[in-house]
Structure formats: C-alpha cells, structure tokens
Amino acid sequence: MSEVTVESVRNALSTVKDPATERDIVSSRQLGEITVGEKELRVAVALLSPGYPMKGTLDASIRAALEPFGRTVVIDWGLSVPRKPPRQDLDRLPTVKNVLAVAAGKGGVGKSTVSSNLAMALQRLGARVGILDADIYGPSMPKMMGPPSRPCDKNASGDRIIPALHRGIPVMSVDFFVETGRAVIWRGPMIHKLLQQFLEDVEWGELDYLIIDLPPGTGDAQLSLGQLLPITGGVMVTTPQEVALLDVRKAVDMFAKLEVPLLGVIENMSHYRCPSCGHVDHIFASGGGKRLAEELELPLLGQLPIDPKVSAGGERGDPVVHSAPDSEHAKVFLELAAQVALEAAKRHATGPKRSSLLRTV
C-alpha cells in the first residue's frame, strides 16, 4: 500500500456525501483537520444541524471510505450551522444564522408552548438560540420561560438594547416595556417600528437560530417581519381538527405571498394517553396535521401529545424540556428540534467556516 498522507485521506473523503444535502464533505467544507498516525486516522467533521438525525449514515460512509487505509478511524464531530448571507439591505441580523418563524394562523393551538420548548431543545442539542416574542398584543414568552437571570436593559453607551436572559436564552418581548396588566393598543405602523427596533437595535450575539413566536392571524406583525428580514423558514403548528386547519391554511397562503419557505408541520395536542391504563384518546379528532403536511408536500415534523406536565411547565415558567429532560415529552421535543434544524440546513447549506469546527457536540 502506498504511503497514507493527509492529501490521500482528503481525496478519499471527497467521495463522501452528506445525506442531507448530497454535497461531498470536502467541497462543503464540513471536513476539518486530518491527523495521520501509524495506527490511527483522526478526522474532524462538522454536522450541519444540532441533533443531526442522519449522523449514523454519515459516520458509516466516512468509515467505509477510509477502510482501505487499514487504520483505526476516529471522528471528532463538531457543529457548524450554515448561513446564507441575505441581500445587504435585509441584513438586519448579521450575527444570526437562521430565523425560524413559528406560526399557526389561529390562537389556542399551543404555538408559544412549541416555541419555548423548541428553543430549549435546540439549546440542549448544542445550538445557540434566541427568542423574539412577536405577539405584541398578547406577549407570553417571558412568563413561559420563567424569571430572567438578566433583565432586559440598555448597554453601557445607552444606544443598544441588551435582551433579557431566560435559562441561558436571550429573549425580547414588548412585555418588558409595558406595565403588567396594561393593554397594548397600537396601530400597524407602531408595531412595524417596534419589531424593526427589536431586530436592529438589540445585541442578540452570535446565534444559530432566532425563533420568532408569531401572533395568531395574518396581520401586521407577520407582514412587517416578512418585509424586514429573510426568514429561513416557517414552522406551522396545528391541532388535528379541521377548524384549526382552516386558519392554518390561511397562514400558509400568507407565507407564500411573503415568499417565506415552509419547513414543515407540527401537530400539537395530537392525542392523550391515559397514564394509568395506556388507553389513547384523540380528543381533537386525528390525522389533521398529517393530512395538511401531505396536502402541502411538507414533512410532518412531529406529533405532540396532550399532557398536563407540558401546560404546567408553561404556567410556572419552566418548559418541560428543562423541567423534565428525561421525560417522553422532552424526548419528543428534542426529536422535533432536530427535524426542524435539519430542514433549515437543507434550505441553505452553503458550507461552514472551518473555524467553527471547534464547536464540538
């Protein structure tokens, strides 16, 4: 056998394609440092999304490509979430790689519960996450995330806003600026100006994902955000019954008009399982989320069951992913977060920078 070199290893790995993007890991710059030892080959490889569901497939492909070298293969996995730079006039969030809009078109389907637990799950999987509460008339994210470890404030020079920090996640909400119990009675231009300020004047820091919790309907907040910045993708939340799907379809139509791609559908309150006997009841009918996903030719990202622990977590400001990390519901949210992140990566996998391979997972 000819001498094993860094270049020969790189050439062998140039045939390995990431199953999510079908791009080889060399040209996509997912391959990092290569170390050739007498008995061992060590390679650093960056995954494109946290909790990457196809890691096993990629692992097997790398090992198969390196098997002819006759050395033990060690893979150092990293995380490097891709970002496709937007047009210069829309680059209001240069430190944020992906903007995920969680929408429903209808109130009462658990959209904010999904947003808070999705954020916590992505953080737990190793991503850097922030939350923008865009529900100006009914903000709930500060309540659902619990007391902040750092309140919302201004920076030292007074010209920038420092977001509140809830469980390690930066959060912005109009709730920080209004007196408790007071209604926000604003017209569209004021909402637009506030959201623009939340985007341009807030020190979000380096984020892989900014989750925007949208209000119900298809109104001013949705329109403003669609005009102000490129959204990586929308995540549609619905309950199974047709009365919810009617409004969700309107939200889908709104995203189409705003040219915002959809990542998939989440069916919340999918079913209830009796903790005593295990019997499953479909309280709000069944199959609506799956039918909608098939109708839109989108992935069904997850089906979330009804459980008092989830709603109780939101009530006391401790999302179930944090309060019960080993519970079945937390596992469902982790799987959901991994699927959402994967779909986002597929939308613009432009290739990570090598320096970001230092982030291990």
Side-chain angles (χ1 to χ4, degrees), residues 13-34:
L13 291 175
S14 68
T15 64
V16 175
K17 293 184 177 181
D18 189 301
T21 64
E22 291 301 314
R23 296 183 62 192
D24 73 84
I25 63 174
V26 175
S27 65
S28 67
R29 303 191 70 184
Q30 289 172 252
L31 179 63
E33 185 178 358
I34 299 170

Side-chain angles (χ1 to χ4, degrees), residues 111-121 131 141 144-145 319:
K111 175 179 47 56
S112 295
T113 297
V114 169
S115 295
S116 58
N117 280 286
L118 176 60
M120 294 297 304
I131 299 176
M141 206 50 59
M144 301 189 81
M145 292 296 290

Side-chain angles (χ1 to χ4, degrees), residues 69-128:
F69 293 111
R71 286 168 165 80
T72 300
V73 175
V74 178
I75 304 174
D76 295 323
W77 296 104
L79 174 64
S80 187
V81 176
R83 176 183 191 256
K84 181 179 289 183
R87 285 186 351 225
Q88 188 172 2
D89 60 322
L90 292 178
D91 198 10
R92 290 182 168 86
L93 294 171
T95 63
V96 177
K97 292 183 176 181
N98 292 276
V99 177
L100 306 178
V102 179
K106 181 178 180 63
V109 298
K111 175 179 47 56
S112 295
T113 297
V114 169
S115 295
S116 58
N117 280 286
L118 176 60
M120 294 297 304
L122 286 169
Q123 182 196 55
R124 187 173 164 191
L125 291 172
R128 300 165 297 191

Side-chain angles (χ1 to χ4, degrees), residues 251-263:
V252 169
D253 182 61
M254 173 200 68
F255 276 130
K257 287 180 169 60
L258 294 175
E259 298 184 349
V260 174
L262 294 178
L263 302 183

Side-chain angles (χ1 to χ4, degrees), residues 128-179:
R128 300 165 297 191
V129 191
I131 299 176
L132 172 56
D133 187 351
D135 194 344
I136 306 303
Y137 299 129
S140 60
M141 206 50 59
K143 163 69 175 174
M144 301 189 81
M145 292 296 290
S149 59
R150 180 190 70 199
C152 180
D153 203 352
K154 289 191 174 183
N155 65 358
S157 58
D159 59 349
R160 301 277 290 171
I161 301 172
I162 306 296
L165 198 65
H166 293 254
R167 305 192 185 282
I169 294 177
V171 176
M172 276 305 303
S173 173
V174 70
D175 196 51
F176 300 141
F177 304 97
V178 296
E179 187 179 341

Side-chain angles (χ1 to χ4, degrees), residues 147-222:
S149 59
R150 180 190 70 199
C152 180
D153 203 352
K154 289 191 174 183
N155 65 358
S157 58
D159 59 349
R160 301 277 290 171
I161 301 172
I162 306 296
L165 198 65
H166 293 254
R167 305 192 185 282
I169 294 177
V171 176
M172 276 305 303
S173 173
V174 70
D175 196 51
F176 300 141
F177 304 97
V178 296
E179 187 179 341
T180 302
R182 294 287 185 179
V184 177
I185 309 173
W186 288 356
R187 294 189 183 274
M190 295 179 69
I191 293 175
H192 182 91
K193 185 175 181 180
L194 177 70
L195 290 174
Q196 185 171 356
Q197 186 176 18
F198 279 178
L199 297 174
E200 295 180 349
D201 297 341
V202 172
E203 293 188 355
W204 286 105
E206 296 287 337
L207 297 180
D208 295 312
Y209 305 97
L210 177 64
I211 294 174
I212 300 182
D213 184 39
L214 289 174
T218 55
D220 293 308
Q222 291 89 334

Side-chain angles (χ1 to χ4, degrees), residues 229-301:
L229 79 165
I231 298 173
T232 305
V235 177
M236 305 306 303
V237 181
T238 185
T239 49
Q241 73 270 45
E242 186 61 31
V243 69
L245 297 176
L246 291 172
D247 288 336
V248 173
R249 289 188 180 97
K250 295 174 185 176
V252 169
D253 182 61
M254 173 200 68
F255 276 130
K257 287 180 169 60
L258 294 175
E259 298 184 349
V260 174
L262 294 178
L263 302 183
V265 176
I266 297 171
E267 184 182 83
N268 195 23
M269 308 183 202
S270 176
H271 60 273
Y272 173 75
R273 183 184 299 276
C274 175
S276 299
C277 67
H279 175 72
V280 173
D281 266 330
H282 295 277
I283 298 173
F284 298 112
S286 66
K290 183 178 180 182
R291 290 195 302 274
L292 179 65
E294 291 173 349
E295 175 188 321
L296 300 174
E297 298 182 347
L298 290 171
L300 179 62
L301 298 169

